[in-house]
Short mmCIF file of all heavy atoms in Angstrom, two decimals:
data_model
loop_
_atom_site.label_atom_id
_atom_site.label_comp_id
_atom_site.label_asym_id
_atom_site.label_seq_id
_atom_site.Cartn_x
_atom_site.Cartn_y
_atom_site.Cartn_z
N PHE A 1 0.83 -1.19 0.00
CA PHE A 1 0.00 0.00 0.00
C PHE A 1 0.88 1.26 0.00
O PHE A 1 0.57 2.22 -0.68
CB PHE A 1 -0.95 -0.03 1.21
CG PHE A 1 -1.89 1.11 1.25
CD1 PHE A 1 -2.96 1.16 0.38
CD2 PHE A 1 -1.71 2.14 2.14
CE1 PHE A 1 -3.85 2.21 0.41
CE2 PHE A 1 -2.58 3.20 2.18
CZ PHE A 1 -3.66 3.24 1.31
N ALA A 2 1.96 1.21 0.76
CA ALA A 2 2.85 2.38 0.85
C ALA A 2 3.51 2.67 -0.50
O ALA A 2 3.68 3.83 -0.88
CB ALA A 2 3.89 2.16 1.92
N ILE A 3 3.89 1.62 -1.23
CA ILE A 3 4.51 1.83 -2.53
C ILE A 3 3.51 2.44 -3.50
O ILE A 3 3.84 3.37 -4.24
CB ILE A 3 5.06 0.49 -3.08
CG1 ILE A 3 6.19 0.00 -2.19
CG2 ILE A 3 5.55 0.64 -4.51
CD1 ILE A 3 6.66 -1.39 -2.53
N TYR A 4 2.29 1.94 -3.48
CA TYR A 4 1.25 2.47 -4.38
C TYR A 4 0.95 3.93 -4.06
O TYR A 4 0.75 4.74 -4.97
CB TYR A 4 0.00 1.61 -4.27
CG TYR A 4 -1.11 2.05 -5.19
CD1 TYR A 4 -1.04 1.81 -6.55
CD2 TYR A 4 -2.22 2.73 -4.69
CE1 TYR A 4 -2.04 2.22 -7.40
CE2 TYR A 4 -3.22 3.14 -5.54
CZ TYR A 4 -3.13 2.89 -6.88
OH TYR A 4 -4.12 3.31 -7.72
N GLN A 5 0.92 4.28 -2.79
CA GLN A 5 0.64 5.66 -2.40
C GLN A 5 1.80 6.60 -2.74
O GLN A 5 1.59 7.79 -2.94
CB GLN A 5 0.35 5.73 -0.89
CG GLN A 5 -0.96 5.10 -0.50
CD GLN A 5 -2.14 5.87 -1.06
OE1 GLN A 5 -2.15 7.09 -1.10
NE2 GLN A 5 -3.14 5.13 -1.51
N SER A 6 3.02 6.08 -2.80
CA SER A 6 4.18 6.94 -3.08
C SER A 6 4.41 7.17 -4.57
O SER A 6 5.22 8.03 -4.94
CB SER A 6 5.43 6.34 -2.46
OG SER A 6 5.77 5.14 -3.10
N LEU A 7 3.73 6.44 -5.44
CA LEU A 7 3.95 6.60 -6.88
C LEU A 7 3.69 8.02 -7.38
O LEU A 7 4.52 8.55 -8.14
CB LEU A 7 3.09 5.59 -7.65
CG LEU A 7 3.66 4.18 -7.73
CD1 LEU A 7 2.66 3.26 -8.40
CD2 LEU A 7 4.97 4.18 -8.47
N PRO A 8 2.59 8.70 -7.02
CA PRO A 8 2.41 10.07 -7.50
C PRO A 8 3.52 11.02 -7.06
O PRO A 8 3.92 11.93 -7.80
CB PRO A 8 1.07 10.50 -6.92
CG PRO A 8 0.35 9.25 -6.61
CD PRO A 8 1.40 8.24 -6.29
N TYR A 9 4.04 10.82 -5.86
CA TYR A 9 5.13 11.66 -5.37
C TYR A 9 6.38 11.50 -6.24
O TYR A 9 6.99 12.48 -6.66
CB TYR A 9 5.44 11.29 -3.92
CG TYR A 9 6.69 11.92 -3.37
CD1 TYR A 9 6.71 13.27 -3.03
CD2 TYR A 9 7.86 11.19 -3.22
CE1 TYR A 9 7.86 13.86 -2.55
CE2 TYR A 9 9.01 11.75 -2.74
CZ TYR A 9 9.00 13.09 -2.40
OH TYR A 9 10.14 13.67 -1.93
N PHE A 10 6.75 10.25 -6.52
CA PHE A 10 7.94 10.01 -7.33
C PHE A 10 7.73 10.43 -8.78
O PHE A 10 8.67 10.85 -9.46
CB PHE A 10 8.35 8.54 -7.27
CG PHE A 10 8.95 8.15 -5.94
CD1 PHE A 10 8.34 7.22 -5.15
CD2 PHE A 10 10.14 8.72 -5.52
CE1 PHE A 10 8.90 6.85 -3.93
CE2 PHE A 10 10.70 8.36 -4.31
CZ PHE A 10 10.07 7.43 -3.51
N GLU A 11 6.49 10.33 -9.29
CA GLU A 11 6.22 10.74 -10.67
C GLU A 11 6.29 12.25 -10.82
O GLU A 11 6.77 12.77 -11.83
CB GLU A 11 4.86 10.22 -11.12
CG GLU A 11 4.85 8.74 -11.39
CD GLU A 11 3.48 8.20 -11.73
OE1 GLU A 11 2.48 8.94 -11.54
OE2 GLU A 11 3.39 7.05 -12.18
N SER A 12 5.81 12.98 -9.83
CA SER A 12 5.80 14.44 -9.95
C SER A 12 7.18 15.05 -9.77
O SER A 12 7.54 16.01 -10.45
CB SER A 12 4.83 15.05 -8.94
OG SER A 12 5.29 14.83 -7.61
N LEU A 13 7.98 14.51 -8.86
CA LEU A 13 9.29 15.09 -8.58
C LEU A 13 10.42 14.46 -9.38
O LEU A 13 11.47 15.07 -9.56
CB LEU A 13 9.61 14.97 -7.09
CG LEU A 13 8.69 15.76 -6.16
CD1 LEU A 13 9.10 15.55 -4.72
CD2 LEU A 13 8.73 17.23 -6.51
N GLY A 14 10.24 13.23 -9.84
CA GLY A 14 11.31 12.55 -10.57
C GLY A 14 12.46 12.13 -9.69
O GLY A 14 13.59 11.97 -10.15
N THR A 15 12.19 11.94 -8.41
CA THR A 15 13.22 11.55 -7.46
C THR A 15 13.72 10.14 -7.79
O THR A 15 12.95 9.27 -8.15
CB THR A 15 12.66 11.57 -6.03
OG1 THR A 15 12.00 12.81 -5.83
CG2 THR A 15 13.73 11.40 -5.00
N TYR A 16 15.03 9.92 -7.63
CA TYR A 16 15.71 8.65 -7.85
C TYR A 16 15.70 8.20 -9.31
O TYR A 16 16.08 7.08 -9.61
CB TYR A 16 15.15 7.54 -6.98
CG TYR A 16 15.24 7.82 -5.50
CD1 TYR A 16 14.11 7.92 -4.73
CD2 TYR A 16 16.47 8.01 -4.90
CE1 TYR A 16 14.19 8.18 -3.37
CE2 TYR A 16 16.56 8.27 -3.55
CZ TYR A 16 15.42 8.36 -2.80
OH TYR A 16 15.50 8.63 -1.46
N SER A 17 15.28 9.03 -10.23
CA SER A 17 15.37 8.70 -11.65
C SER A 17 16.73 9.17 -12.15
O SER A 17 17.16 10.28 -11.84
CB SER A 17 14.26 9.38 -12.44
OG SER A 17 13.01 8.91 -12.01
N THR A 18 17.41 8.32 -12.91
CA THR A 18 18.76 8.66 -13.35
C THR A 18 18.92 8.47 -14.84
O THR A 18 18.20 7.70 -15.47
CB THR A 18 19.82 7.77 -12.64
OG1 THR A 18 19.55 6.42 -12.95
CG2 THR A 18 19.79 7.97 -11.15
N LYS A 19 19.88 9.15 -15.40
CA LYS A 19 20.25 9.01 -16.81
C LYS A 19 21.60 8.32 -16.84
O LYS A 19 22.57 8.80 -16.29
CB LYS A 19 20.33 10.39 -17.46
CG LYS A 19 20.76 10.38 -18.88
CD LYS A 19 19.56 10.32 -19.76
CE LYS A 19 20.04 10.55 -21.19
NZ LYS A 19 19.33 9.75 -22.12
N LEU A 20 21.64 7.15 -17.47
CA LEU A 20 22.88 6.39 -17.54
C LEU A 20 23.68 6.82 -18.77
O LEU A 20 23.14 7.36 -19.72
CB LEU A 20 22.55 4.90 -17.60
CG LEU A 20 21.83 4.36 -16.36
CD1 LEU A 20 21.46 2.90 -16.58
CD2 LEU A 20 22.68 4.51 -15.14
N PRO A 21 24.98 6.60 -18.77
CA PRO A 21 25.83 7.13 -19.85
C PRO A 21 25.58 6.51 -21.22
O PRO A 21 25.86 7.13 -22.22
CB PRO A 21 27.25 6.82 -19.38
CG PRO A 21 27.14 5.88 -18.26
CD PRO A 21 25.76 5.98 -17.71
N PHE A 22 25.05 5.31 -21.32
CA PHE A 22 24.88 4.68 -22.63
C PHE A 22 23.44 4.75 -23.11
O PHE A 22 22.83 3.75 -23.44
CB PHE A 22 25.41 3.25 -22.64
CG PHE A 22 25.04 2.45 -21.43
CD1 PHE A 22 23.85 1.74 -21.37
CD2 PHE A 22 25.87 2.44 -20.32
CE1 PHE A 22 23.52 1.00 -20.26
CE2 PHE A 22 25.53 1.70 -19.20
CZ PHE A 22 24.35 0.98 -19.17
N ASP A 23 22.88 5.94 -23.17
CA ASP A 23 21.55 6.24 -23.69
C ASP A 23 20.45 5.38 -23.07
O ASP A 23 19.58 4.85 -23.76
CB ASP A 23 21.52 6.08 -25.22
CG ASP A 23 22.40 7.11 -25.90
OD1 ASP A 23 22.60 8.19 -25.30
OD2 ASP A 23 22.86 6.83 -27.01
N LEU A 24 20.50 5.22 -21.79
CA LEU A 24 19.48 4.48 -21.06
C LEU A 24 19.18 5.24 -19.78
O LEU A 24 20.09 5.64 -19.06
CB LEU A 24 19.98 3.06 -20.74
CG LEU A 24 18.99 2.16 -20.02
CD1 LEU A 24 17.86 1.77 -20.97
CD2 LEU A 24 19.70 0.92 -19.52
N SER A 25 17.92 5.47 -19.55
CA SER A 25 17.55 6.15 -18.32
C SER A 25 16.66 5.25 -17.49
O SER A 25 15.93 4.41 -18.02
CB SER A 25 16.83 7.46 -18.63
OG SER A 25 15.63 7.19 -19.32
N VAL A 26 16.75 5.39 -16.19
CA VAL A 26 15.96 4.60 -15.25
C VAL A 26 14.94 5.53 -14.62
O VAL A 26 15.30 6.47 -13.91
CB VAL A 26 16.86 3.96 -14.17
CG1 VAL A 26 16.02 3.21 -13.16
CG2 VAL A 26 17.88 3.05 -14.80
N TYR A 27 13.68 5.28 -14.91
CA TYR A 27 12.59 6.09 -14.36
C TYR A 27 12.06 5.33 -13.16
O TYR A 27 11.49 4.24 -13.28
CB TYR A 27 11.51 6.29 -15.43
CG TYR A 27 10.43 7.26 -15.06
CD1 TYR A 27 10.73 8.56 -14.68
CD2 TYR A 27 9.10 6.88 -15.10
CE1 TYR A 27 9.73 9.45 -14.35
CE2 TYR A 27 8.10 7.76 -14.77
CZ TYR A 27 8.42 9.05 -14.40
OH TYR A 27 7.43 9.93 -14.07
N PHE A 28 12.28 5.85 -11.96
CA PHE A 28 12.02 5.14 -10.72
C PHE A 28 10.58 4.68 -10.54
O PHE A 28 10.35 3.59 -10.02
CB PHE A 28 12.48 6.00 -9.54
CG PHE A 28 12.50 5.26 -8.25
CD1 PHE A 28 13.36 4.19 -8.05
CD2 PHE A 28 11.66 5.62 -7.21
CE1 PHE A 28 13.38 3.50 -6.86
CE2 PHE A 28 11.67 4.93 -6.02
CZ PHE A 28 12.53 3.88 -5.84
N PRO A 29 9.55 5.44 -10.95
CA PRO A 29 8.19 4.92 -10.82
C PRO A 29 7.96 3.63 -11.60
O PRO A 29 7.20 2.77 -11.17
CB PRO A 29 7.31 6.05 -11.35
CG PRO A 29 8.09 7.27 -11.07
CD PRO A 29 9.53 6.87 -11.28
N TYR A 30 8.63 3.45 -12.74
CA TYR A 30 8.51 2.19 -13.48
C TYR A 30 9.12 1.03 -12.69
O TYR A 30 8.60 -0.08 -12.70
CB TYR A 30 9.17 2.29 -14.84
CG TYR A 30 8.44 3.18 -15.83
CD1 TYR A 30 9.12 3.77 -16.88
CD2 TYR A 30 7.09 3.43 -15.70
CE1 TYR A 30 8.47 4.57 -17.79
CE2 TYR A 30 6.43 4.23 -16.60
CZ TYR A 30 7.12 4.81 -17.64
OH TYR A 30 6.45 5.60 -18.53
N VAL A 31 10.22 1.31 -12.02
CA VAL A 31 10.85 0.29 -11.18
C VAL A 31 9.90 -0.12 -10.07
O VAL A 31 9.75 -1.30 -9.76
CB VAL A 31 12.19 0.81 -10.61
CG1 VAL A 31 12.79 -0.18 -9.62
CG2 VAL A 31 13.17 1.11 -11.73
N LEU A 32 9.22 0.85 -9.46
CA LEU A 32 8.27 0.54 -8.39
C LEU A 32 7.08 -0.25 -8.91
O LEU A 32 6.60 -1.17 -8.23
CB LEU A 32 7.78 1.83 -7.73
CG LEU A 32 8.78 2.56 -6.84
CD1 LEU A 32 8.14 3.84 -6.28
CD2 LEU A 32 9.24 1.68 -5.70
N LYS A 33 6.61 0.06 -10.11
CA LYS A 33 5.47 -0.67 -10.68
C LYS A 33 5.86 -2.12 -10.99
O LYS A 33 5.08 -3.04 -10.77
CB LYS A 33 4.96 0.04 -11.93
CG LYS A 33 4.26 1.34 -11.61
CD LYS A 33 3.84 2.07 -12.86
CE LYS A 33 3.25 3.43 -12.50
NZ LYS A 33 2.87 4.19 -13.68
N ILE A 34 7.06 -2.32 -11.51
CA ILE A 34 7.53 -3.68 -11.77
C ILE A 34 7.68 -4.44 -10.47
O ILE A 34 7.32 -5.62 -10.37
CB ILE A 34 8.87 -3.63 -12.56
CG1 ILE A 34 8.62 -3.11 -13.96
CG2 ILE A 34 9.54 -4.99 -12.59
CD1 ILE A 34 9.88 -2.81 -14.74
N TYR A 35 8.17 -3.76 -9.43
CA TYR A 35 8.30 -4.40 -8.13
C TYR A 35 6.93 -4.80 -7.57
O TYR A 35 6.79 -5.89 -7.01
CB TYR A 35 9.01 -3.45 -7.17
CG TYR A 35 9.19 -4.00 -5.79
CD1 TYR A 35 10.01 -5.09 -5.56
CD2 TYR A 35 8.55 -3.42 -4.70
CE1 TYR A 35 10.19 -5.60 -4.29
CE2 TYR A 35 8.72 -3.93 -3.43
CZ TYR A 35 9.54 -5.02 -3.23
OH TYR A 35 9.70 -5.52 -1.98
N LEU A 36 5.91 -3.96 -7.73
CA LEU A 36 4.57 -4.31 -7.28
C LEU A 36 4.03 -5.52 -8.02
O LEU A 36 3.41 -6.41 -7.42
CB LEU A 36 3.62 -3.12 -7.47
CG LEU A 36 3.65 -2.04 -6.41
CD1 LEU A 36 2.75 -0.89 -6.81
CD2 LEU A 36 3.24 -2.61 -5.07
N MET A 37 4.26 -5.59 -9.33
CA MET A 37 3.81 -6.76 -10.08
C MET A 37 4.51 -8.02 -9.60
O MET A 37 3.90 -9.08 -9.47
CB MET A 37 4.05 -6.55 -11.58
CG MET A 37 3.10 -5.58 -12.22
SD MET A 37 3.17 -5.56 -14.01
CE MET A 37 4.87 -5.19 -14.33
N MET A 38 5.80 -7.91 -9.32
CA MET A 38 6.54 -9.07 -8.83
C MET A 38 6.03 -9.51 -7.47
O MET A 38 5.98 -10.71 -7.17
CB MET A 38 8.04 -8.75 -8.77
CG MET A 38 8.68 -8.66 -10.13
SD MET A 38 10.39 -8.11 -10.10
CE MET A 38 11.13 -9.13 -8.87
N LEU A 39 5.64 -8.56 -6.63
CA LEU A 39 5.08 -8.92 -5.32
C LEU A 39 3.79 -9.70 -5.47
O LEU A 39 3.57 -10.70 -4.78
CB LEU A 39 4.82 -7.66 -4.50
CG LEU A 39 6.02 -7.01 -3.83
CD1 LEU A 39 5.58 -5.74 -3.11
CD2 LEU A 39 6.66 -7.96 -2.85
N PHE A 40 2.90 -9.27 -6.37
CA PHE A 40 1.64 -9.97 -6.54
C PHE A 40 1.83 -11.34 -7.18
O PHE A 40 1.17 -12.30 -6.80
CB PHE A 40 0.66 -9.13 -7.37
CG PHE A 40 0.03 -8.04 -6.57
CD1 PHE A 40 0.29 -6.72 -6.86
CD2 PHE A 40 -0.83 -8.34 -5.52
CE1 PHE A 40 -0.28 -5.70 -6.12
CE2 PHE A 40 -1.41 -7.33 -4.77
CZ PHE A 40 -1.14 -6.01 -5.07
N ILE A 41 2.75 -11.45 -8.12
CA ILE A 41 3.03 -12.75 -8.72
C ILE A 41 3.64 -13.68 -7.67
O ILE A 41 3.27 -14.86 -7.57
CB ILE A 41 3.95 -12.58 -9.94
CG1 ILE A 41 3.19 -11.87 -11.06
CG2 ILE A 41 4.48 -13.93 -10.42
CD1 ILE A 41 4.07 -11.44 -12.21
N GLY A 42 4.55 -13.17 -6.87
CA GLY A 42 5.15 -13.97 -5.81
C GLY A 42 4.13 -14.38 -4.76
O GLY A 42 4.20 -15.48 -4.22
N MET A 43 3.18 -13.50 -4.49
CA MET A 43 2.13 -13.83 -3.52
C MET A 43 1.29 -14.98 -4.05
O MET A 43 0.94 -15.89 -3.29
CB MET A 43 1.25 -12.59 -3.28
CG MET A 43 0.17 -12.81 -2.25
SD MET A 43 -0.79 -11.33 -1.93
CE MET A 43 -1.53 -11.03 -3.51
N TYR A 44 0.99 -15.00 -5.32
CA TYR A 44 0.22 -16.10 -5.91
C TYR A 44 0.96 -17.42 -5.76
O TYR A 44 0.38 -18.43 -5.34
CB TYR A 44 -0.09 -15.82 -7.38
CG TYR A 44 -0.64 -17.03 -8.09
CD1 TYR A 44 -1.95 -17.43 -7.88
CD2 TYR A 44 0.17 -17.78 -8.93
CE1 TYR A 44 -2.45 -18.56 -8.51
CE2 TYR A 44 -0.32 -18.90 -9.57
CZ TYR A 44 -1.63 -19.28 -9.36
OH TYR A 44 -2.12 -20.40 -9.98
N PHE A 45 2.25 -17.43 -6.11
CA PHE A 45 3.02 -18.66 -6.01
C PHE A 45 3.18 -19.12 -4.56
O PHE A 45 3.14 -20.32 -4.27
CB PHE A 45 4.40 -18.51 -6.67
CG PHE A 45 4.33 -18.53 -8.16
CD1 PHE A 45 4.69 -17.42 -8.89
CD2 PHE A 45 3.90 -19.66 -8.83
CE1 PHE A 45 4.62 -17.43 -10.27
CE2 PHE A 45 3.83 -19.68 -10.21
CZ PHE A 45 4.19 -18.56 -10.93
N THR A 46 3.35 -18.18 -3.65
CA THR A 46 3.47 -18.54 -2.24
C THR A 46 2.18 -19.17 -1.72
O THR A 46 2.21 -20.21 -1.06
CB THR A 46 3.82 -17.30 -1.40
OG1 THR A 46 5.04 -16.75 -1.88
CG2 THR A 46 3.96 -17.65 0.07
N TYR A 47 1.03 -18.54 -2.03
CA TYR A 47 -0.24 -19.10 -1.57
C TYR A 47 -0.53 -20.45 -2.21
O TYR A 47 -1.04 -21.35 -1.55
CB TYR A 47 -1.39 -18.13 -1.84
CG TYR A 47 -1.50 -17.05 -0.81
CD1 TYR A 47 -1.49 -15.72 -1.18
CD2 TYR A 47 -1.63 -17.36 0.53
CE1 TYR A 47 -1.59 -14.71 -0.24
CE2 TYR A 47 -1.74 -16.37 1.49
CZ TYR A 47 -1.72 -15.05 1.09
OH TYR A 47 -1.81 -14.07 2.04
N SER A 48 -0.22 -20.61 -3.48
CA SER A 48 -0.48 -21.90 -4.12
C SER A 48 0.42 -22.98 -3.54
O SER A 48 -0.02 -24.12 -3.33
CB SER A 48 -0.29 -21.80 -5.63
OG SER A 48 1.04 -21.52 -5.96
N HIS A 49 1.67 -22.65 -3.23
CA HIS A 49 2.56 -23.62 -2.62
C HIS A 49 2.08 -24.00 -1.22
O HIS A 49 2.06 -25.18 -0.85
CB HIS A 49 3.98 -23.08 -2.56
CG HIS A 49 4.93 -23.95 -1.81
ND1 HIS A 49 5.35 -25.16 -2.30
CD2 HIS A 49 5.51 -23.81 -0.60
CE1 HIS A 49 6.17 -25.72 -1.42
NE2 HIS A 49 6.28 -24.90 -0.38
N LEU A 50 1.71 -23.01 -0.42
CA LEU A 50 1.23 -23.29 0.93
C LEU A 50 -0.06 -24.10 0.91
O LEU A 50 -0.27 -25.00 1.73
CB LEU A 50 1.03 -21.99 1.70
CG LEU A 50 2.31 -21.25 2.08
CD1 LEU A 50 1.97 -19.90 2.72
CD2 LEU A 50 3.16 -22.08 3.01
N TYR A 51 -0.93 -23.81 -0.05
CA TYR A 51 -2.18 -24.57 -0.16
C TYR A 51 -1.91 -26.03 -0.53
O TYR A 51 -2.54 -26.93 0.02
CB TYR A 51 -3.11 -23.92 -1.19
CG TYR A 51 -4.40 -24.66 -1.36
CD1 TYR A 51 -5.37 -24.64 -0.37
CD2 TYR A 51 -4.65 -25.40 -2.50
CE1 TYR A 51 -6.56 -25.33 -0.51
CE2 TYR A 51 -5.83 -26.10 -2.67
CZ TYR A 51 -6.78 -26.05 -1.66
OH TYR A 51 -7.95 -26.75 -1.80
N SER A 52 -0.99 -26.25 -1.45
CA SER A 52 -0.68 -27.63 -1.83
C SER A 52 -0.03 -28.38 -0.66
O SER A 52 -0.31 -29.56 -0.45
CB SER A 52 0.22 -27.67 -3.06
OG SER A 52 1.49 -27.14 -2.76
N GLU A 53 0.82 -27.71 0.10
CA GLU A 53 1.41 -28.34 1.28
C GLU A 53 0.33 -28.69 2.30
O GLU A 53 0.34 -29.77 2.87
CB GLU A 53 2.44 -27.42 1.92
CG GLU A 53 3.70 -27.25 1.12
CD GLU A 53 4.55 -28.49 1.11
OE1 GLU A 53 4.62 -29.17 2.14
OE2 GLU A 53 5.13 -28.79 0.05
N ARG A 54 -0.59 -27.80 2.53
CA ARG A 54 -1.67 -28.05 3.47
C ARG A 54 -2.54 -29.22 3.00
O ARG A 54 -2.91 -30.08 3.79
CB ARG A 54 -2.51 -26.78 3.64
CG ARG A 54 -3.70 -26.95 4.54
CD ARG A 54 -4.55 -25.70 4.50
NE ARG A 54 -5.82 -25.97 5.13
CZ ARG A 54 -6.17 -25.50 6.32
NH1 ARG A 54 -5.33 -24.75 6.99
NH2 ARG A 54 -7.34 -25.77 6.81
N ARG A 55 -2.85 -29.24 1.73
CA ARG A 55 -3.67 -30.31 1.17
C ARG A 55 -2.97 -31.66 1.31
O ARG A 55 -3.59 -32.66 1.67
CB ARG A 55 -3.96 -30.00 -0.30
CG ARG A 55 -5.01 -30.90 -0.93
CD ARG A 55 -5.26 -30.54 -2.37
NE ARG A 55 -4.01 -30.61 -3.12
CZ ARG A 55 -3.56 -29.70 -3.96
NH1 ARG A 55 -4.27 -28.62 -4.19
NH2 ARG A 55 -2.42 -29.84 -4.59
N ASP A 56 -1.66 -31.69 1.08
CA ASP A 56 -0.91 -32.94 1.21
C ASP A 56 -0.87 -33.42 2.66
O ASP A 56 -1.00 -34.61 2.93
CB ASP A 56 0.52 -32.77 0.69
CG ASP A 56 0.56 -32.57 -0.81
OD1 ASP A 56 -0.44 -32.88 -1.48
OD2 ASP A 56 1.59 -32.07 -1.31
N ILE A 57 -0.69 -32.51 3.60
CA ILE A 57 -0.63 -32.89 5.01
C ILE A 57 -2.00 -33.35 5.49
O ILE A 57 -2.10 -34.34 6.22
CB ILE A 57 -0.13 -31.70 5.87
CG1 ILE A 57 1.31 -31.39 5.56
CG2 ILE A 57 -0.32 -31.98 7.35
CD1 ILE A 57 2.28 -32.50 5.89
N LEU A 58 -3.06 -32.69 5.09
CA LEU A 58 -4.39 -33.06 5.56
C LEU A 58 -4.86 -34.38 4.96
O LEU A 58 -5.75 -35.02 5.52
CB LEU A 58 -5.39 -31.95 5.28
CG LEU A 58 -5.20 -30.70 6.13
CD1 LEU A 58 -6.21 -29.65 5.73
CD2 LEU A 58 -5.31 -31.02 7.60
N ARG A 59 -4.31 -34.81 3.85
CA ARG A 59 -4.66 -36.11 3.27
C ARG A 59 -4.13 -37.25 4.11
O ARG A 59 -4.65 -38.35 4.08
CB ARG A 59 -4.12 -36.24 1.86
CG ARG A 59 -4.98 -35.60 0.83
CD ARG A 59 -4.50 -36.02 -0.54
NE ARG A 59 -4.85 -34.96 -1.47
CZ ARG A 59 -4.22 -34.69 -2.57
NH1 ARG A 59 -3.15 -35.39 -2.91
NH2 ARG A 59 -4.60 -33.73 -3.36
N ILE A 60 -3.05 -37.01 4.83
CA ILE A 60 -2.42 -38.06 5.61
C ILE A 60 -3.32 -38.52 6.75
O ILE A 60 -3.45 -39.70 7.04
CB ILE A 60 -1.04 -37.59 6.16
CG1 ILE A 60 -0.09 -37.35 5.00
CG2 ILE A 60 -0.47 -38.59 7.12
CD1 ILE A 60 1.19 -36.68 5.41
N PHE A 61 -3.96 -37.57 7.41
CA PHE A 61 -4.79 -37.88 8.57
C PHE A 61 -6.21 -38.17 8.11
O PHE A 61 -6.88 -37.31 7.56
CB PHE A 61 -4.80 -36.71 9.54
CG PHE A 61 -3.42 -36.31 9.99
CD1 PHE A 61 -2.86 -35.12 9.57
CD2 PHE A 61 -2.69 -37.14 10.81
CE1 PHE A 61 -1.60 -34.75 9.97
CE2 PHE A 61 -1.42 -36.78 11.21
CZ PHE A 61 -0.87 -35.59 10.80
N PRO A 62 -6.72 -39.39 8.36
CA PRO A 62 -8.10 -39.69 7.95
C PRO A 62 -9.10 -38.97 8.85
O PRO A 62 -8.83 -38.66 10.00
CB PRO A 62 -8.20 -41.21 8.11
CG PRO A 62 -7.16 -41.54 9.13
CD PRO A 62 -6.06 -40.51 8.97
N MET A 63 -10.26 -38.72 8.29
CA MET A 63 -11.32 -38.05 9.05
C MET A 63 -11.90 -39.04 10.05
O MET A 63 -12.18 -40.18 9.70
CB MET A 63 -12.42 -37.56 8.10
CG MET A 63 -11.95 -36.52 7.11
SD MET A 63 -11.67 -34.92 7.87
CE MET A 63 -13.34 -34.43 8.17
N LYS A 64 -12.09 -38.60 11.27
CA LYS A 64 -12.70 -39.44 12.29
C LYS A 64 -14.20 -39.28 12.22
O LYS A 64 -14.71 -38.18 12.09
CB LYS A 64 -12.20 -39.07 13.67
CG LYS A 64 -10.74 -39.36 13.88
CD LYS A 64 -10.29 -39.02 15.28
CE LYS A 64 -8.83 -39.34 15.47
NZ LYS A 64 -8.38 -39.02 16.82
N LYS A 65 -14.90 -40.39 12.33
CA LYS A 65 -16.36 -40.34 12.32
C LYS A 65 -16.86 -40.09 13.73
O LYS A 65 -16.31 -40.61 14.70
CB LYS A 65 -16.92 -41.65 11.77
CG LYS A 65 -16.62 -41.88 10.32
CD LYS A 65 -17.29 -43.11 9.81
CE LYS A 65 -16.98 -43.26 8.33
NZ LYS A 65 -17.62 -44.45 7.79
N LYS A 66 -17.91 -39.30 13.82
CA LYS A 66 -18.50 -39.00 15.11
C LYS A 66 -19.34 -40.17 15.58
O LYS A 66 -20.03 -40.83 14.79
CB LYS A 66 -19.38 -37.75 15.01
CG LYS A 66 -18.62 -36.50 14.78
CD LYS A 66 -19.56 -35.33 14.77
CE LYS A 66 -18.83 -34.04 14.50
NZ LYS A 66 -19.73 -32.90 14.46
N LYS A 67 -19.31 -40.42 16.88
CA LYS A 67 -20.15 -41.47 17.45
C LYS A 67 -21.52 -40.87 17.74
O LYS A 67 -21.65 -39.77 18.23
CB LYS A 67 -19.55 -42.01 18.74
CG LYS A 67 -18.29 -42.79 18.52
CD LYS A 67 -17.80 -43.34 19.83
CE LYS A 67 -16.51 -44.12 19.62
NZ LYS A 67 -16.01 -44.65 20.89
N MET A 68 -22.55 -41.64 17.48
CA MET A 68 -23.88 -41.14 17.74
C MET A 68 -24.50 -41.87 18.87
O MET A 68 -24.42 -42.88 19.27
CB MET A 68 -24.75 -41.27 16.51
CG MET A 68 -24.27 -40.38 15.42
SD MET A 68 -25.65 -40.06 14.32
CE MET A 68 -25.06 -38.68 13.49
#
């Protein structure tokens, strides 16, 4: 949330944006947007991995039937 809220600040001031010597410039808000996309993609893979681990562990223990 903090990164998303800081994007307008970095876009208006151009802070941390640099011009490299070989005709390449780094625009810092683009770096932040790529980082946000990587966070969401990583979150998907983390949740899917944790879910598969949970599913595998819960398969080991059989369900107990209630006595009536």
Side-chain angles (χ1 to χ4, degrees):
F1 183 74
I3 295 172
Y4 182 74
Q5 290 293 321
S6 67
L7 279 175
Y9 170 75
F10 288 117
E11 286 175 348
S12 66
L13 295 180
T15 311
Y16 301 118
S17 297
T18 60
K19 178 92 171 143
L20 297 175
F22 44 88
D23 294 333
L24 182 70
S25 63
V26 177
Y27 188 56
F28 191 64
Y30 290 156
V31 174
L32 288 179
K33 290 176 185 178
I34 291 170
Y35 180 66
L36 279 175
M37 287 191 303
M38 288 174 49
L39 281 177
F40 282 114
I41 292 170
M43 183 177 63
Y44 169 75
F45 285 116
T46 301
Y47 279 125
S48 65
H49 174 71
L50 290 174
Y51 179 72
S52 67
E53 290 289 323
R54 177 187 168 108
R55 191 179 57 226
D56 292 343
I57 293 296
L58 289 178
R59 277 191 208 153
I60 295 171
F61 303 109
M63 297 287 288
K64 293 182 179 180
K65 293 185 178 180
K66 292 183 182 179
K67 291 183 181 179
M68 294 203 162

